Amino acid sequence: TDTVTQTRPLCRSATTNADLITDWFLQHPTANIGIELEKSGLVAIDIDYRTGGEESEYGLTREHGPWPDSWTHQTGNGWHQLFVRPVGKSIKPRKLAPGVDLMISGYVVSPPSIHTFGTHYVWDSDASPLEGHPLAQVPDWLIDEINRGDVGLLSSQLVQKLDCEVQRLIEPSARLTNRLLTDQTFADVWMKQKPSPKRTDLSDSGWCFTL
């Protein structure tokens, strides 16, 4: 795929047509190979050691146990592991940890392609489709991790929305507080509440309103 030029994204041209594949390689004998994930019904875990993937992988496996046995190959800076796309379950691309990404679309370069660093992509001898090794299902803990990430994202977005709404509601009350503090009677009552000695500026509307 690295040397083939087409008018549309290469992954959308993916095919299992043996004649077409043969024709492509007759024209481009040194082309790399890419597996289109969505059309193939696969998802991939991409571990990148350059961005902390090795440490993150250790943390994930320590928490959830080893990855299920499934097709695995080395890349120029880590490895890819392929799983069967779950049926009837929502799954989205996700950065699981630094250097660990879940891919559900696009393509992953596969053996025996050559990485830009000059190294070859190589199938793991214990997890190779060439040796008849089967594909595994996406582990349940990974789906739970993805869903938990969605909840966290939605919660964060909700907090931001509520914060904006609270600020909108507080603003006129804070202005009123400033006006009230100009009245000496109100100021005398306020001081009887023994406000923090660290906050003596009674014009601090945010502080007054919060208390």
Side-chain angles (χ1 to χ4, degrees):
T1 59
D2 289 354
T3 58
V4 180
T5 302
Q6 296 183 347
T7 57
R8 57 177 178 168
L10 294 174
C11 62
R12 297 182 185 175
S13 301
T15 181
T16 56
N17 184 311
D19 292 336
L20 182 55
I21 293 172
T22 299
D23 183 59
W24 282 349
F25 277 96
L26 287 174
Q27 296 180 56
H28 308 281
T30 61
N32 282 345
I33 299 173
I35 299 176
E36 207 284 329
L37 295 172
E38 195 167 5
K39 283 187 176 182
S40 302
L42 303 174
V43 299
I45 296 294
D46 179 16
I47 305 291
D48 188 343
Y49 290 162
R50 295 173 305 176
T51 55
E54 190 169 12
E55 295 80 6
S56 296
E57 176 197 356
Y58 173 75
L60 288 170
T61 54
R62 183 176 58 182
E63 181 178 357
H64 302 288
W67 296 98
D69 290 335
S70 195
W71 295 359
T72 305
H73 66 256
Q74 298 174 16
T75 66
N77 47 51
W79 53 267
H80 290 148
Q81 187 166 33
L82 302 174
F83 296 100
V84 178
R85 183 182 295 267
V87 177
K89 293 183 179 179
S90 175
I91 190 168
K92 298 179 180 179
R94 173 78 64 207
K95 177 172 285 297
L96 300 173
V100 182
D101 294 290
L102 173 69
M103 301 173 61
I104 68 168
S105 60
Y107 68 93
V108 292
V109 180
S110 67
S113 300
I114 301 176
H115 194 273
T116 53
F117 295 161
T119 56
H120 280 81
Y121 289 76
V122 180
W123 287 109
D124 188 317
S125 59
D126 296 325
S128 169
L130 303 179
E131 303 297 330
H133 198 282
L135 278 163
Q137 299 287 331
V138 176
D140 290 338
W141 71 260
L142 183 53
I143 295 178
D144 292 341
E145 191 78 20
I146 296 166
N147 292 335
R148 182 159 52 248
D150 285 340
V151 170
L153 179 62
L154 291 173
S155 297
S156 175
Q157 292 172 340
L158 179 59
V159 167
Q160 292 178 10
K161 182 177 180 180
L162 288 174
D163 184 61
C164 291
E165 184 66 13
V166 167
Q167 291 300 326
R168 185 184 69 80
L169 294 172
I170 282 178
E171 186 177 356
S173 299
R175 290 199 300 268
L176 174 61
T177 304
N178 268 335
R179 288 198 298 272
L180 289 173
L181 286 175
T182 61
D183 183 274
Q184 186 58 44
T185 302
F186 181 84
D188 292 339
V189 173
W190 179 256
M191 290 305 297
K192 290 179 182 180
Q193 306 305 314
K194 298 180 180 179
S196 169
K198 296 181 181 179
R199 303 298 299 271
T200 57
D201 181 2
L202 296 182
S203 67
D204 189 337
S205 59
W207 176 59
C208 296
F209 182 80
T210 301
L211 293 180

